[in-house]
Amino acid sequence: MKEKSILNLNSENNISIKCGKMDGALLQDYLEGTIDPVEKLFVEAHLNTCKDCRRELSELKLMFWELGNKSNYRVEYPQELDEMAGTLIDRVLGKEEKSTARKLVDLQVGNLKGSTRFLDYLPGARKTPEVIKKASRSLAKGVGKGVKKGVERMLTAR
Amino acid sequence: MEVSDLSIFREYEKNNRRGLELVYERYKKYVYSIAYHYSGNREDALDITQEVFMSVFKAFGSFKEQYSILPWIKKITVNKCLNFLRSRKESISLNETTEGGDELQNIISSNEDTEASIFCKDTKKALEEAISKLPDKQRIAVLLRHMKQMKYEEIAGTMKVPPGTVKTLIHNGRAAIKDNLMKQGIWEV
């Protein structure tokens, strides 16, 4: 009876556990190292005699380990997290006023985009980069062969 | 690049926009990680993060530079988390549909895959689930204590409740998490 009253000192917010003689909160404080020294003595004495509380303590230890394991809180940060900063700042400060130089650059970029838009409608225009690549490769090959031949001729002429 | 709070204030004095960008850059992950584990999903976490930074940005001009920014942001994050789900819960209904088009009531009633999913679940998921089932205040208190390693007094200041209340919230939260993890069969004890 005496043991019960001591181990349930924190009875205001008692966490009941199987044995009924121990406040579950005390076991948590014991594991966390925040327990009062006197209570610690009684908890240890009780643990020596109570199988249920030793089991409860093992389960709590596992849970503390999981709660303290940083990899359990690893989060994938979505792209939107980076993207929304500008919008939020705009909402508070108003839209950013662009400098004249920036406006000019943007105008030129716009012009360039507009002037090449017709390419989208030219048949085969999308293949242009590929064709240019192939052509440049064949050209390089041709030039290489020409140079090789020239060198060979020069050597034989000697 | 990591910048100090002081250099953020200096930058803010020169250029408000740049200053706020630095605040966001420095604290976005901190806020988002709490919001994510508190709300349990990406969309709500982004909404909460957005609300937190709107408040931070609006008040940043009047924030005194002798204080550090983190405790202030923690308080705002906790407030926004607690208020966000409170307002969300009031409007939630079982006839709501998920992204996949399933009604919530159908998901709740169908338990055919429950057993299989228990065995496939990893500890991280199980813990996330156990934390998500806690009442709002217990959940935030447990996250601040274990995910952010804050002391009881600090949590009390952040949540604006007495330290004794924080202790109770965390004790009860842990007890519920342990029971939940046991039920999920995570440990062979």
Side-chain angles (χ1 to χ4, degrees), chain B:
Chain B
M1 194 189 71
E2 189 78 349
V3 285
S4 70
D5 284 359
L6 196 65
S7 55
I8 290 178
F9 282 115
R10 294 281 164 275
E11 200 60 42
Y12 183 80
E13 278 168 17
K14 281 189 263 170
N15 180 339
N16 290 357
R17 180 170 291 273
R18 182 72 195 129
L20 297 186
E21 279 170 0
L22 290 174
V23 175
Y24 189 83
E25 209 44 50
R26 186 163 196 210
Y27 294 105
K28 66 180 178 190
K29 288 187 177 173
Y30 189 92
V31 172
Y32 180 83
S33 62
I34 294 181
Y36 180 82
H37 285 287
Y38 179 78
S39 67
N41 71 78
R42 182 177 159 280
E43 279 68 32
D44 286 349
L46 280 168
D47 284 351
I48 293 170
T49 307
Q50 189 168 321
E51 285 189 16
V52 170
F53 281 102
M54 277 306 282
S55 298
V56 170
F57 291 164
K58 277 181 189 165
F60 198 78
S62 51
F63 187 73
K64 302 276 184 297
E65 69 171 69
Q66 65 263 35
Y67 303 120
S68 53
I69 301 173
L70 186 61
W72 180 52
I73 285 191
K74 277 180 194 168
K75 271 184 197 171
I76 296 176
T77 307
V78 167
N79 255 326
K80 294 291 175 190
C81 280
L82 291 172
N83 290 329
F84 183 83
L85 286 202
R86 207 172 288 146
S87 59
R88 179 59 60 98
K89 268 179 193 160
E90 279 162 14
S91 60
I92 203 159
S93 118
L94 287 180
N95 291 323
E96 249 180 52
T97 52
T98 63
E99 279 175 17
D102 299 314
E103 281 196 356
L104 287 179
Q105 52 190 354
N106 294 341
I107 292 172
I108 293 165
S109 62
S110 81
N111 59 357
E112 53 196 70
D113 292 332
T114 313
E115 214 170 320
S117 68
I118 284 172
F119 289 108
C120 298
K121 208 174 277 170
D122 62 22
T123 320
K124 182 173 184 282
K125 281 253 156 52
L127 185 68
E128 274 176 12
E129 190 180 316
I131 290 175
S132 74
K133 295 242 163 74
L134 296 179
D136 298 347
K137 284 188 178 174
Q138 278 182 24
R139 188 159 67 251
I140 200 83
V142 167
L143 286 173
L144 295 179
R145 176 79 191 110
H146 290 283
M147 184 171 82
K148 298 298 179 195
Q149 284 100 41
M150 284 167 67
K151 292 185 176 143
Y152 285 102
E153 295 76 25
E154 205 188 341
I155 299 171
T158 304
M159 291 180 72
K160 289 180 192 153
V161 291
T165 309
V166 172
K167 237 183 165 187
T168 308
L169 287 170
I170 292 176
H171 280 146
N172 291 331
R174 284 183 194 138
I177 289 173
K178 186 184 75 74
D179 288 348
N180 191 307
L181 291 178
M182 292 299 291
K183 272 184 204 150
Q184 291 191 61
I186 288 301
W187 307 309
E188 299 286 331
V189 198

Side-chain angles (χ1 to χ4, degrees), chain A residues 139-155:
Chain A
L139 192 70
K141 261 188 200 171
V143 171
K145 272 183 190 171
V147 170
K148 208 178 170 189
K149 270 186 186 172
V151 172
E152 276 169 5
R153 265 184 218 159
M154 276 167 68
L155 288 173

Side-chain angles (χ1 to χ4, degrees), chain A residues 27-89:
Chain A
L27 280 181
Q28 292 190 24
D29 290 345
Y30 178 70
L31 279 176
E32 223 182 4
T34 52
I35 193 166
D36 176 272
V38 179
E39 286 176 338
K40 188 181 173 191
L41 289 175
F42 283 104
V43 167
E44 282 171 347
H46 179 75
L47 282 169
N48 280 333
T49 58
C50 181
K51 206 178 158 192
D52 286 336
C53 283
R54 285 201 298 272
R55 190 186 167 85
E56 179 76 19
L57 191 73
S58 312
E59 291 170 7
L60 281 171
K61 265 186 197 168
L62 288 169
M63 187 215 46
F64 266 88
W65 191 84
E66 294 299 351
L67 278 174
N69 183 357
K70 281 190 178 169
S71 67
N72 280 334
Y73 301 107
R74 209 166 283 150
V75 179
E76 276 183 28
Y77 297 99
Q79 213 182 332
E80 291 98 311
L81 189 64
D82 290 326
E83 292 167 353
M84 67 189 194
T87 320
L88 293 179
I89 296 172

